[in-house]
Amino acid sequence: MPDQSIHTFGRRFKNPCSRHPFVLILIVFLFLISAAHASADDAMFRANPEHTGVYGNGGTEPGNSELWHFTTGGIVYSSPAIANGTVYVGSEDKNLYAIDAMTGKEKWKFPTGGFVDSSPAVSDGIVYVGSRDNYLYAIDAAAGTEKWRFATSDEVGSSPAVVNGTVYVGSEDRNLYAIDATTGKEKWRFASEQWVGSSPTVVNGIVYFGSGDHNLYAIDAVTGKEEWRFAAEDRMYPSPAVANGTVYAAASEDHNLYAIDAVTGKEKWRFATGGWLFSSPTVSDGFVYIGSSDKNLYAINAVTGKERWRFATRNYVDSSPAVINGIVYFGSDDTNLYAVDAVTGKEKWRFATGGWVLSSLSVADGIIYVGSNDKNLYAVGANSSLPTTVSTTIRITNASSTISRVTTTAPAVIITPIVPARQTTQPAPIQYALPMAIIATAGIAILKRQ
């Protein structure tokens, strides 16, 4: 039997794991806890760098009660990011807001010089967000103070992705940028032939993004060198999603969703809808979900490209869907937020806002956060404290009316926030302190007996 000892700089130590596998289990368990905590404070557009739209921290199934809404001075196209009990979201009033996720109270706001319809990303206590004033900003997540700003030559509507200390973001100056997350210094840029509104997806060292030049690009995340490009039949506005070695990307005006091999860039299949595609695809449990301007949300087999079902709304579906625990949540320009069974396509409930819903929603701890063109950010979930005689949707729309895509100018009604009846989640260090201490003590005791 080979010698199971560890050699370090000429010294020889017994490997306790060879005699006590329980010690190894303890170490692995502690590592997993610390790893979970390291990622718990991070949040970005479409839930993860792969942009699959699947939220693992959804908690209990959300209901369709309004818990609170927060009124800004402009339309909320930006999709919210939730980290450490705070919701970060941009508005066309040119501000980035930090809002208490439980109460809906403002913590701070950060002014920029342009519309903020970029969706923020949060990593290591910093919020990164683009603005139509041509800058990408890095803002202290707790204090709301600027750390740095990075200048491009045109508007930044793309939502940043933060991976391994690098911020990736597109600009309408036709470039995709890689920027040092700490210093704000440019690492590289890649020039496409048209503006880049698509938000970059980062998987296995490759950055995938679409451009107005009709191409989907695969770029080396470290060097900025092109690996391949895939030519669609029209401009690629939405952000791609990557799952199981396949890139799912939509070309807005050719009406097609494409499945493309992530390594070779070769087309696997395409699925034609009846309208434009501004919604980004969501991938979960072998199916792709995407909305279309033909007023439908589609469920498509991720391998074959065959339709499973479609769900009809009363207006365009530009919002990108999210999947949590077998339910698809998405917004429509008919002013509603919908919950649909992911398997059957049957509606579970809907929630009416005061305007069309372009914002892609985010989910955390059983609460859905979504913006509307009525200038509000909504928190929607289950609330057992609401009287049973009160309608579960606060705002009511006329089902027979035609929904216009004209921005509403009616003043928003401010409702006193209702605090959801749920237990506050403790920060990870406090939450895990006792079990970590017990496990560590047990491991030390075993080692001392050697």
Side-chain angles (χ1 to χ4, degrees), residues 74-77 333 335 353-359 371-376 378 404-409:
I75 295 172
V76 182
Y77 289 129
D333 289 5
T335 77
T353 74
W356 35 289
V357 182
L358 270 174
S359 168
S372 170
N373 88 319
D374 64 5
K375 304 181 182 180
N376 289 303
Y378 291 89
S404 172
R405 292 180 64 83
V406 178
T407 302
T408 178
T409 57

Side-chain angles (χ1 to χ4, degrees), residues 18 27 29 50 77 88 128 141-142 176 186 207 209 240 256 274 311 331 415 450:
S18 65
I27 294 170
F29 183 80
E50 297 84 5
Y77 289 129
Y88 302 93
Y128 304 91
L176 177 79
E186 180 179 324
V207 185
F209 72 98
N256 286 308
F311 179 87
I415 300 173
Q450 307 311 306

Side-chain angles (χ1 to χ4, degrees), residues 234-298:
D234 215 306
R235 290 171 286 189
M236 304 196 82
Y237 296 123
S239 304
V242 180
N244 300 318
T246 301
V247 185
Y248 300 93
S252 300
E253 295 174 24
D254 74 5
H255 302 183
N256 286 308
L257 171 70
Y258 295 90
I260 304 159
D261 188 283
V263 176
T264 65
K266 301 298 183 182
E267 180 179 329
K268 293 184 175 183
W269 53 255
R270 69 177 67 183
F271 177 87
T273 73
W276 300 334
L277 297 174
F278 292 99
S279 169
S280 296
T282 291
V283 189
S284 176
D285 294 330
F287 287 88
V288 187
Y289 303 91
I290 193 168
S292 171
S293 70
D294 66 9
K295 306 180 184 180
N296 290 297
L297 178 80
Y298 291 89

Side-chain angles (χ1 to χ4, degrees), residues 443-450:
I444 293 171
I446 293 172
L447 294 175
K448 285 184 175 179
R449 293 174 60 186
Q450 307 311 306

